[in-house]
């Protein structure tokens, strides 16, 4: 083309950043864009857009030495309007003594690409994919959504990839919700294909401004015999919500996921509100014959929660003594002189402990236990200090020392039990029974203390624990029976110690419960297409359908009984019979019970179904990092300010994405 009559159009009239690197030359009705670096000519027509010019700049070899920073040095226009931001440029010119930090106000242009994917020479740039990568990053790491409008973030992204069209808070929020919708479908499909049942745990989270959310989590053992958990719902609740409203909200969530028919148990905290919620939901599920054993294994309470409740009660009973010990430690550490004097006394008494006195973190009760434990080691030194230091005014009487000693021994047991719950490599339901039997036996002994105050405290703790025990002991015992290292032997060992002369009937109750649950897994039901077993009454009475025991509409109920009885021919043994008759599996430290059941599924096809459902119950639902906390989970401050639907999308999808990465 003859360019002699061409006119260069001034770049100030051209708004796109690419014109910093091109001259737009107009001759007649034709426009050509000429690269200022390599002089290559491309179409400069307004109808051609600027994508091809951007692509050329990325590939242009002569331009590469100029750096990509020039790409963001001009004003650009955003789709949603203009936004002035600061671009920080650290000038590291070797001729200057100091690094110079310059602040440049610029406006970014969000030019809509004709195609989401742009060829950058060696790879394709995909605007949509990059947008969703950003949203997934925010979800995964819990970043604030508003970060996409932070000045520094925008400058960083534009320097890193000039082709990326910056997004607004509203846009990234919509992208996060779209990710949630996609991930939710995947979780729904996975839950529908599960070979076993689901146990649902419920927790209350607090948010900024005293807002509360109800977190519903599914717990199950998948087809590969791995213990899994997925958050299903994260619902904003209000203190004004009644128990009926909360129960209805939970039922709605279950039906939305279509898992009401797959529910095996529900794990709640120990409180009156949870009692009523469990009853209401249990009744609804029983009406539809969705529960095993007439709901006996449905209502499970969190073991860690009942331990924490007893701890709070115990520490509350000696709170004045604990505060005196805190004051004592503060006094000793108030000066180097007093500390040195204390250490000299410790040597005189003959205490060579490597541990030193320290103040606890009152929000972490295991920290309080450690403080008391060490203080008791230095008891004789503290008594000596009291006798020799007139300035030391905080004195514990012998009775106070005895009482805090008793409570510290309680805490020691509780710390050990919680550590077993939270540090187990395979935290399946079978690990809880021996630990909680031990707690029950200790409570019986503590109630024999001669100090009326401690005796009364121990009795109150025992009452709290017994409420839990009566509700959950059957489930705990059934889970222990499914451990091939123990089978019924743990029950045979602990129950005589716990129940004395009543132990025979109690052991029989457990065994009858085991047989009832096994029968429900072995007998087909009208709900078989939904992987639902049929419960039968075990004992001298007739075998009846659970839930609606007098349902005359089931004309073939007698036939089911007949089929079950005649299919068990003489000389044939059930899975349960074979399992209980065979020798115990040797005990070893690193025993993986789920792997054992995976391997032995062909030998015990029915019992393995039962094991999958029972062992998947989270007898303790408290996260390990919160096991010793007085408070529960707290929602991130930035996410707390978002609307409830967005909060649910972020919390749930974060859990799902993280779970995928861990698998």
């Amino acid at each position: 083309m003859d360019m002699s009559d061409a006119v260069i159009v001034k770049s100030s009239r051209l708004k796109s950043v690419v014109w910093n690197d091109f001259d737009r030359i107009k001759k007649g009705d034709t426009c050509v864009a000429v690269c200022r670096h390599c002089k290559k000519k491309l179409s400069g027509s307004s109808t051609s857009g600027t994508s091809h010019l951007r692509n050329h700049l990325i590939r242009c070899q002569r331009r590469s030495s100029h750096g990509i920073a020039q790409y963001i040095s001009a004003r650009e226009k955003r789709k949603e309007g203009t936004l002035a931001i600061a671009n920080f440029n650290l000038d590291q010119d070797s001729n200057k003594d100091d690094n110079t930090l310059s602040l440049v106000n610029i406006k970014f242009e969000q030019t809509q690409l004709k195609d989401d994917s742009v060829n950058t020479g060696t790879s394709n740039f995909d605007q949509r994919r990059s947008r969703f990568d950003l949203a997934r990053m925010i979800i995964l790491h819990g970043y604030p959504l508003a970060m996409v409008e932070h000045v520094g973030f925008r400058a960083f992204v534009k320097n890193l990839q000039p082709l990326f069209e910056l997004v607004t808070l509203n846009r990234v929020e919509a992208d996060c919700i779209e990710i949630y919708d996609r991930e939710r479908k995947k979780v729904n499909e996975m839950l529908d294909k599960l070979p076993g049942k689901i146990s649902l745990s419920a927790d209350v989270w607090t948010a900024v401004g005293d807002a509360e959310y109800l977190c519903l989590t599914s717990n199950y053992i998948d087809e590969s015999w791995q213990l899994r958990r997925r958050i299903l719902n994260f619902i904003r609740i209000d203190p004004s919500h009644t128990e009926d409203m909360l129960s209805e909200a939970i039922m709605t969530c279950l039906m939305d996921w279509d898992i009401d028919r797959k529910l095996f148990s529900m794990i709640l905290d120990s409180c009156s509100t949870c009692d009523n919620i469990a009853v209401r939901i249990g009744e609804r599920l029983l009406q539809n014959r969705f529960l095993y054993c007439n709901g006996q294994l449905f209502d499970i309470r969190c073991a860690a929660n009942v331990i924490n409740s007893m701890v709070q009660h115990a520490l509350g009973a000696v709170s004045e003594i604990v505060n005196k010990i805190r004051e004592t430690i503060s006094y000793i550490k108030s000066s180097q002189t007093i500390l040195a004097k204390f250490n000299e006394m410790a040597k005189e008494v003959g205490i060579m402990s490597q541990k030193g006195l320290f103040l606890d973190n009152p929000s972490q009760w295991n920290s309080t236990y450690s403080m008391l434990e060490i203080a008791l080691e230095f008891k004789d030194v503290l008594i000596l200090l009291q006798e020799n230091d007139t300035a030391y005014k905080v004195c514990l009487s012998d009775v106070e020392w005895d009482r805090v000693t008793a409570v510290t021994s309680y805490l020691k047991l509780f710390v050990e039990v919680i550590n077993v719950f939270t540090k187990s490599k395979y935290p399946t339901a079978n690990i809880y029974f021996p630990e909680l039997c031990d707690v029950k036996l200790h409570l019986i002994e503590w109630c024999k203390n001669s100090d009326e105050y401690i005796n009364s405290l121990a009795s109150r703790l025992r009452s709290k624990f017994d409420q839990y025990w009566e509700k959950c002991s059957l489930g705990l015992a059934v889970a222990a029976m499914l451990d091939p290292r123990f089978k019924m032997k743990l029950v045979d060992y602990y129950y005589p110690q716990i129940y004395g002369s009543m132990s025979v009937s109690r052991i029989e109750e457990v065994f009858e419960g085991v047989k009832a649950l096994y029968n429900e897994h072995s007998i087909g039901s009208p709900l078989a297409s939904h992987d639902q077993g049929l419960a039968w009454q075990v004992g001298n009475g007739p075998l009846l359908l659970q839930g609606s025991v007098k349902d005359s509409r089931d004309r073939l109920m007698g036939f089911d009984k007949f089929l079950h009885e005649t299919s068990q021919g003489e000389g044939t043994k059930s899975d349960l019979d074979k399992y209980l008759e065979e020798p115990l599996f040797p005990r070893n430290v690193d025993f993986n019970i789920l792997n054992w059941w995976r391997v032995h599924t062909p030998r015990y096809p029915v019992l393995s179904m039962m094991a999958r459902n029972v062992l998947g119950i989270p007898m303790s639902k408290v996260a390990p990092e919160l096991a010793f906390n007085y408070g529960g989970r707290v929602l991130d401050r930035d996410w707390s300010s978002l609307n409830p639907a967005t909060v649910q999308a972020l919390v749930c999808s974060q859990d799902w994405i993280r779970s995928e990465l861990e698998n």
Side-chain angles (χ1 to χ4, degrees), residues 40 64 145 165 201 212 234 238-239 257 271 412 452 539-540:
K40 183 172 181 178
S64 62
L145 268 63
E165 297 179 3
S201 57
E212 291 185 337
F234 200 76
D238 190 271
W257 285 97
C271 64
K412 182 177 188 295
E452 287 187 14
N540 296 326

Side-chain angles (χ1 to χ4, degrees), residues 17-230:
V17 69
V18 297
W19 295 111
N20 292 334
D21 296 275
F22 283 91
D23 287 322
R24 192 181 188 197
I25 299 174
K26 185 174 183 181
K27 182 178 181 182
D29 295 331
T30 304
C31 289
V32 176
V34 180
C35 178
R36 294 178 179 177
H37 309 289
C38 67
K39 306 306 179 185
K40 183 172 181 178
K41 300 179 181 64
L42 296 93
S43 172
S45 171
S46 58
T47 59
S48 300
T50 56
S51 297
H52 64 299
L53 303 182
R54 292 170 185 260
N55 293 342
H56 169 76
L57 287 175
I58 292 171
R59 293 191 299 268
C60 182
Q61 295 297 320
R62 295 202 176 191
R63 177 183 174 273
S64 62
S65 61
H66 292 264
I68 205 165
Q70 296 180 20
Y71 221 15
I72 61 166
S73 64
R75 295 190 173 188
E76 298 187 60
K77 183 179 179 183
R78 297 172 65 239
K79 282 184 293 184
E80 299 86 353
T82 58
L83 175 68
I85 77 163
N87 175 38
F88 297 95
N89 175 38
L90 189 62
D91 184 1
Q92 294 181 311
D93 192 331
S94 59
N95 295 324
K96 296 184 178 181
D97 294 331
D98 301 317
N99 287 332
T100 304
L101 191 66
S102 60
L103 185 65
V104 183
N105 288 329
I106 54 177
K107 296 180 182 179
F108 290 122
E109 177 187 12
Q110 292 281 351
T111 307
Q112 179 64 48
L113 300 179
K114 290 184 178 180
D115 183 16
D116 279 338
S117 181
V118 177
N119 192 306
T120 61
T122 58
S123 62
N124 287 336
F125 169 69
D126 189 325
Q127 169 69 18
R128 179 177 172 81
R129 176 179 174 180
S130 297
R131 231 178 59 207
F132 280 97
D133 283 345
L134 172 60
R136 285 177 70 88
M137 178 190 75
I138 288 172
I139 292 169
L140 180 62
H141 300 292
Y143 296 147
L145 268 63
M147 69 174 287
V148 298
E149 294 186 345
H150 291 172
V151 169
F153 176 77
R154 286 180 167 264
F156 167 74
V157 170
K158 267 304 179 183
N159 276 289
L160 184 68
Q161 176 50 273
L163 297 181
F164 181 72
E165 297 179 3
L166 294 167
V167 296
T168 61
L169 186 151
N170 290 338
R171 178 68 265 171
V172 78
E173 182 177 6
D175 290 344
C176 288
I177 291 174
E178 186 173 337
I179 289 172
Y180 163 75
D181 290 335
R182 287 204 306 262
E183 294 294 326
R184 191 183 194 280
K185 289 179 181 177
K186 288 159 60 176
V187 174
N188 212 345
E189 291 171 1
M190 178 272 298
L191 293 176
D192 190 56
K193 295 175 182 177
L194 281 180
K197 301 296 179 182
I198 295 168
S199 291
L200 187 76
S201 57
D203 296 282
V204 175
W205 292 37
T206 56
V208 175
D210 296 327
E212 291 185 337
Y213 284 84
L214 180 64
C215 180
L216 300 179
T217 305
S218 61
N219 304 265
Y220 54 89
I221 293 173
D222 65 15
E223 67 284 348
S224 60
W225 285 90
Q226 297 295 314
L227 193 62
R228 306 291 189 196
R229 60 178 297 281
R230 295 288 186 277

Side-chain angles (χ1 to χ4, degrees), residues 397-412:
S397 66
D398 290 342
V399 171
E400 286 176 323
W401 278 116
D402 289 342
R403 289 177 179 176
V404 77
T405 299
V407 169
T408 303
S409 70
Y410 300 174
L411 298 182
K412 182 177 188 295

Side-chain angles (χ1 to χ4, degrees), residues 171-369:
R171 178 68 265 171
V172 78
E173 182 177 6
D175 290 344
C176 288
I177 291 174
E178 186 173 337
I179 289 172
Y180 163 75
D181 290 335
R182 287 204 306 262
E183 294 294 326
R184 191 183 194 280
K185 289 179 181 177
K186 288 159 60 176
V187 174
N188 212 345
E189 291 171 1
M190 178 272 298
L191 293 176
D192 190 56
K193 295 175 182 177
L194 281 180
K197 301 296 179 182
I198 295 168
S199 291
L200 187 76
S201 57
D203 296 282
V204 175
W205 292 37
T206 56
V208 175
D210 296 327
E212 291 185 337
Y213 284 84
L214 180 64
C215 180
L216 300 179
T217 305
S218 61
N219 304 265
Y220 54 89
I221 293 173
D222 65 15
E223 67 284 348
S224 60
W225 285 90
Q226 297 295 314
L227 193 62
R228 306 291 189 196
R229 60 178 297 281
R230 295 288 186 277
I231 293 177
L232 299 182
N233 292 92
F234 200 76
I235 317 161
R236 176 74 180 268
I237 57 176
D238 190 271
S240 64
H241 286 172
T242 64
E243 291 159 0
D244 281 336
M245 294 169 68
L246 290 172
S247 303
E248 194 58 39
I250 293 172
M251 279 303 303
T252 299
C253 292
L254 293 174
M255 291 186 288
D256 284 347
W257 285 97
D258 193 25
I259 59 170
D260 51 328
R261 61 186 173 81
K262 295 179 75 73
L263 209 60
F264 187 78
S265 65
M266 187 167 183
I267 301 84
L268 301 165
D269 289 333
S270 296
C271 64
S272 58
T273 299
C274 291
D275 289 342
N276 296 326
I277 290 173
V279 168
R280 285 170 170 80
I281 295 176
E283 287 175 347
R284 288 277 297 275
L285 297 174
L286 277 172
Q287 287 173 4
N288 297 319
R289 299 192 303 176
F290 286 163
L291 295 181
Y292 286 109
C293 284
N294 207 30
Q296 289 184 75
L297 298 180
F298 173 70
D299 184 6
I300 301 291
R301 297 310 163 91
C302 175
N305 176 255
V306 73
I307 297 292
N308 282 332
S309 176
M310 290 193 292
V311 166
Q312 290 186 52
H313 200 80
L315 284 174
V318 292
S319 58
E320 291 184 7
I321 304 174
V322 172
N323 284 333
K324 281 187 176 182
I325 291 175
R326 289 186 180 119
E327 290 176 31
T328 295
I329 295 171
S330 295
Y331 172 75
I332 292 170
K333 290 180 170 290
S334 63
S335 77
Q336 288 296 321
T337 304
I338 299 173
L339 183 59
K341 184 178 181 181
F342 177 82
N343 290 334
E344 273 301 315
M345 290 180 179
K347 289 180 181 178
E348 290 177 19
V349 174
I351 296 176
M352 307 300 293
S353 175
Q354 297 298 312
K355 300 175 183 177
L357 294 173
F358 73 95
L359 284 172
D360 65 328
N361 175 358
S363 65
Q364 297 265 342
W365 63 262
N366 61 329
S367 169
T368 304
Y369 159 68

Side-chain angles (χ1 to χ4, degrees), residues 552-572:
S552 60
R553 291 173 295 176
D554 190 349
R555 306 294 183 188
L556 295 177
M557 184 172 64
F559 173 74
D560 286 331
K561 174 189 172 184
F562 166 77
L563 190 64
H564 175 64
E565 291 176 344
T566 55
S567 64
Q568 298 290 329
E570 290 188 14
T572 62

Side-chain angles (χ1 to χ4, degrees), residues 650-663:
L650 293 172
V651 172
C652 290
S653 51
Q654 181 187 73
D655 178 73
W656 302 336
I657 293 170
R658 286 181 176 179
S659 296
E660 281 185 3
L661 293 176
E662 290 170 2
N663 295 343

